[in-house]
Amino acid sequence: MEDMFIAPLQPLESMMGATGVSGAGTVNGTANAADLRKVKGEEGISAFKSIFEEAIDNVRSTEDTLVRRQYQLATGQIEDPHTVGIAGSEAQLAVDMLISLRTKALEAYNEIMRISL
């Protein structure tokens, strides 16, 4: 039996204790399923939220850069006018990315709502 290349399965209770969930709802160092869902749900929410916050911040920063470049071009402070076009393209791509993320999130939400329990 020591020649096995497949690791033996561990009982579920011992794996739950390794997640780092502690406090109320634990018995002998193991967490119950509701606590694990809560922790995983909070991690998922924070990851989902951070993705959208990053996309929104990216749109804001690229729009600010575009406005600054346009102002510099209009006042003659810019030496290379092609940077205005580049900034415009970056701003458009950032908006397109945010719209795509929103669309995919709405599609996922609608798909979840169609699931019958």
Side-chain angles (χ1 to χ4, degrees):
M1 279 299 204
E2 295 171 2
D3 297 331
M4 291 179 48
F5 63 94
I6 299 174
L9 297 176
Q10 297 177 353
L12 185 59
E13 291 80 27
S14 65
M15 291 191 307
M16 284 186 200
T19 61
V21 177
S22 61
T26 60
V27 178
N28 296 331
T30 60
N32 62 29
D35 289 338
L36 289 175
R37 281 192 301 270
K38 182 179 177 183
V39 169
K40 288 182 181 180
E42 290 171 359
E43 290 173 358
I45 290 170
S46 66
F48 187 77
K49 182 180 175 182
S50 68
I51 289 171
F52 274 94
E53 285 176 346
E54 184 178 338
I56 290 169
D57 289 342
N58 192 14
V59 168
R60 286 183 184 144
S61 68
T62 55
E63 288 290 328
D64 291 343
T65 302
L66 176 60
V67 169
R68 187 174 59 250
R69 297 279 189 217
Q70 288 173 336
Y71 174 78
Q72 290 172 341
L73 180 65
T75 57
Q77 299 175 8
I78 198 166
E79 292 183 19
D80 45 355
H82 67 277
T83 58
V84 178
I86 293 170
S89 296
E90 288 176 349
Q92 185 62 46
L93 283 172
V95 170
D96 290 345
M97 175 73 133
L98 181 61
I99 291 170
S100 296
L101 284 172
R102 182 210 56 187
T103 303
K104 287 295 182 181
L106 287 174
E107 288 174 1
Y109 175 78
N110 288 332
E111 187 67 29
I112 289 170
M113 290 295 116
R114 279 190 229 126
I115 296 173
S116 62
L117 297 176

